[in-house]
């Protein structure tokens, strides 16, 4: 490491870049753990029992890193009916679940009325379930196709029962990178705009990062910088989650076969740097879905304080050939194994049950 970092002060972009390039994995782990210990002195590590519901796989956006989407005229396309969605929620309730994560492809024709009806149907029938859903690209496109503004989309969905929005689609908030991996997707300014508008009306969200495609370390710092600045404005992000690009079955892998899956070492280094840099984010999730349960557990020693979801259903990462799974009991064991205290939480990170 070329310079000693004072963790009592906000870490600058130059400092974090220096750490990314020069610190050892062990040094990063020690620093990230120290930052985490200040924020989570009770040593509680949380998880949520929820379910992803990918309501459609139809998508016009064509992100090159995506193995999930289908064009509207392709075989195997679907839009789930309300009955099918209800059946999934009933299953979730039977295992004590509290949240659904709604995420689609970006269907070219569905307008605000369809989403309002869906959300209000669930909110009325299952008031005990928190609806977390519709990432920035979905919100942005609903506004376009419905000829209304982004604030109006958010307010109407909030009124129907939408609680918060996920941070998906951030990938790397650098237009240089986005132009290569997802040229049709919203740009950095537009992604931030959706989250800023949500935060303005009191709707919380999460922030994400997908690394391991064509970005460099400077792009990653630019990404963290955007998030930290927006968090300073409204404190609207509940958590930060990073995961690595899963290349199998994706168009980007065909186009750039030299890109391989990022190593666990790289994942843990970036996780630790996130914890060190994002001083205004209380919660950072471990991405065991992409990293597997043991690296997911190790992530707790590199700054993560949450294991995310028990993931009753996962369709996006598994489309890229990665099928890790974990149930509540396994999570509890993994957390205890690193001398932390497991707890089930809700969407707002409030503790529901301790084990
Ligand atoms: S990542 Fe999302 S927006 Fe991009 S192609 Fe896949 S489903 Fe569509």
């Amino acid at each position: 490491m070329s310079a000693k970092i004072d963790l009592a002060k906000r870490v600058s972009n130059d400092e974090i870049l220096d750490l990314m390039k020069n610190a050892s994995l062990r040094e990063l782990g020690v620093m990230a753990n120290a930052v985490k210990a200040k924020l989570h002195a009770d040593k509680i590590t949380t998880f949520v029992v929820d379910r992803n519901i990918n309501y459609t796989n139809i998508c016009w956006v064509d992100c090159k890193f995506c193995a999930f989407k289908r064009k509207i005229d392709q075989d195997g396309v679907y839009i789930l009916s309300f009955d099918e969605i209800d059946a999934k929620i009933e299953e979730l309730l039977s295992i004590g679940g509290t949240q659904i994560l709604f995420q689609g492809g970006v269907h070219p024709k569905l307008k605000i009325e369809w989403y309002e009806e869906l959300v209000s149907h669930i909110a009325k029938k299952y008031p005990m379930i928190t609806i977390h859903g519709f990432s920035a690209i979905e919100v942005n496109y609903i506004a376009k196709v419905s000829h209304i503004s982004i604030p109006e989309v958010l307010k109407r969905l909030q009124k129907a029962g939408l609680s918060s929005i996920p941070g998906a689609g951030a990938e790397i908030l650098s237009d240089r990178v986005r132009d290569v991996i997802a040229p049709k997707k919203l740009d950095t300014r537009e992604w931030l705009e959706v989250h800023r508008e949500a935060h303005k009306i009191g709707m919380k969200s999460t922030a994400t990062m997908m690394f391991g495609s064509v970005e460099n370390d400077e792009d990653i710092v630019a990404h963290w910088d955007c998030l930290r600045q927006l968090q300073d404005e409204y404190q609207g992000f509940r958590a930060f989650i990073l995961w690595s690009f899963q290349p199998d079955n994706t168009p980007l892998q065909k186009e750039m076969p030299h890109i391989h899956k990022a190593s666990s070492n790289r994942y843990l280094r970036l996780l630790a740097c996130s914890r060190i840099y994002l001083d205004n984010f209380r919660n950072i999730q471990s991405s065991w879905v992409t990293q597997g349960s043991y690296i997911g557990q190790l992530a707790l020693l590199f700054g993560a304080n949450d294991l995310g979801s028990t993931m009753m259903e996962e369709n996006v990462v598994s489309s890229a050939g990665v099928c890790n799974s974990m149930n509540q009991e396994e999570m509890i064991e993994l957390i205890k194994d690193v001398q932390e205290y497991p707890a089930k939480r809700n969407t707002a990170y409030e503790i529901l049950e301790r084990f």
Side-chain angles (χ1 to χ4, degrees), residues 59 61-63 65-66 68-69 104-106 137 185:
C59 188
V61 184
D62 274 338
C63 301
F65 55 83
C66 179
F68 170 72
K69 83 306 182 150
V106 184
I137 177 69
K185 212 169 199 172

Side-chain angles (χ1 to χ4, degrees), residues 14 56 83 90-91 93 119 165 195 200 221 241 275 280 284 335 350:
D14 286 344
T56 181
D83 284 347
E90 299 282 351
E91 274 180 8
L93 286 171
V119 172
I165 61 173
H195 285 264
K200 275 188 195 168
V221 174
I241 310 127
R275 178 52 96 186
N280 50 8
I284 295 190
I335 295 167
E350 295 160 339

Side-chain angles (χ1 to χ4, degrees), residues 80-120:
L80 295 179
S81 68
F82 286 13
D83 284 347
E84 287 170 313
I85 290 169
D86 288 358
K88 288 177 185 288
I89 296 174
E90 299 282 351
E91 274 180 8
L92 176 66
L93 286 171
S94 73
I95 61 156
T98 59
Q99 167 186 292
I100 51 171
L101 168 54
F102 258 129
Q103 220 160 261
V106 184
H107 193 288
K109 294 189 178 150
L110 295 179
K111 294 188 178 165
I112 184 69
E113 290 77 14
W114 185 86
Y115 290 91
E116 274 179 319
E117 206 185 322
L118 171 68
V119 172
S120 71

Side-chain angles (χ1 to χ4, degrees), residues 53-343:
I53 300 183
N54 300 112
Y55 56 91
T56 181
N57 61 350
I58 297 170
C59 188
W60 61 267
V61 184
D62 274 338
C63 301
K64 292 184 192 169
F65 55 83
C66 179
F68 170 72
K69 83 306 182 150
R70 295 284 178 277
K71 291 263 172 58
I72 199 162
D73 53 359
Q74 265 183 294
D75 287 344
V77 296
Y78 70 82
I79 302 180
L80 295 179
S81 68
F82 286 13
D83 284 347
E84 287 170 313
I85 290 169
D86 288 358
K88 288 177 185 288
I89 296 174
E90 299 282 351
E91 274 180 8
L92 176 66
L93 286 171
S94 73
I95 61 156
T98 59
Q99 167 186 292
I100 51 171
L101 168 54
F102 258 129
Q103 220 160 261
V106 184
H107 193 288
K109 294 189 178 150
L110 295 179
K111 294 188 178 165
I112 184 69
E113 290 77 14
W114 185 86
Y115 290 91
E116 274 179 319
E117 206 185 322
L118 171 68
V119 172
S120 71
H121 162 77
I122 293 165
K124 282 188 191 127
K125 191 163 179 184
Y126 303 104
M128 67 297 272
I129 287 287
T130 302
I131 308 171
H132 175 60
F134 314 122
S135 60
I137 177 69
E138 288 157 282
V139 171
N140 173 285
Y141 190 70
I142 295 167
K144 279 189 185 139
V145 78
S146 311
H147 304 290
I148 57 176
S149 67
I150 285 168
E152 187 175 344
V153 172
L154 291 166
K155 282 180 196 156
R156 284 172 66 168
L157 293 179
Q158 187 180 44
K159 192 163 172 227
L162 180 67
S163 168
S164 53
I165 61 173
E171 279 72 75
I172 295 289
L173 294 170
S174 149
D175 289 336
R176 187 192 74 78
V177 176
R178 303 177 80 74
D179 286 349
V180 177
I181 65 173
K184 296 187 200 165
K185 212 169 199 172
L186 32 58
D187 63 20
T188 298
R189 186 194 59 75
E190 291 169 316
W191 188 94
L192 290 166
E193 180 193 7
V194 171
H195 285 264
R196 181 177 288 107
E197 293 300 336
H199 298 173
K200 275 188 195 168
I201 60 166
M203 184 186 275
K204 301 287 186 188
S205 69
T206 53
T208 65
M209 177 172 99
M210 186 197 74
F211 67 95
S213 63
V214 300
E215 80 285 344
N216 58 30
D217 287 353
E218 285 74 8
D219 295 316
I220 289 176
V221 174
H223 178 95
W224 287 330
D225 192 11
C226 290
L227 297 179
R228 193 168 74 172
Q229 285 189 39
L230 182 51
Q231 184 74 328
D232 277 343
E233 286 180 49
Y234 296 99
Q235 291 80 50
F237 291 121
R238 282 189 170 130
F240 175 72
I241 310 127
L242 78 160
W243 61 81
S244 52
F245 167 50
Q246 305 298 312
D248 290 357
N249 308 325
T250 65
L252 192 60
Q253 187 189 45
K254 289 191 189 97
E255 217 175 274
M256 299 184 184
H258 62 279
I259 296 180
H260 298 293
K261 208 182 269 192
S263 66
S264 302
N265 175 55
R266 177 76 171 156
Y267 169 72
L268 292 172
R269 293 179 66 83
L270 292 182
L271 172 67
C273 288
S274 313
R275 178 52 96 186
I276 294 163
Y277 183 87
L278 295 173
D279 59 351
N280 50 8
F281 279 68
R282 182 170 165 74
N283 302 300
I284 295 190
Q285 279 185 25
S286 152
S287 178
W288 64 266
V289 178
T290 57
Q291 304 301 313
S293 55
Y294 292 123
I295 295 296
Q297 180 191 42
L298 204 50
L300 301 178
L301 306 179
F302 284 79
N305 66 293
D306 185 271
L307 275 186
S309 161
T310 49
M311 230 21 116
M312 188 173 189
E313 177 176 348
E314 202 294 315
N315 300 306
V316 177
V317 174
S318 57
S319 303
V322 179
C323 298
N324 292 309
S325 69
M326 211 176 348
N327 62 29
Q328 182 168 312
E329 286 65 40
E330 288 169 291
M331 280 197 173
I332 291 170
E333 283 313 307
L334 287 180
I335 295 167
K336 285 185 175 168
D337 211 26
V338 292
Q339 284 76 54
E340 295 191 346
Y341 303 104

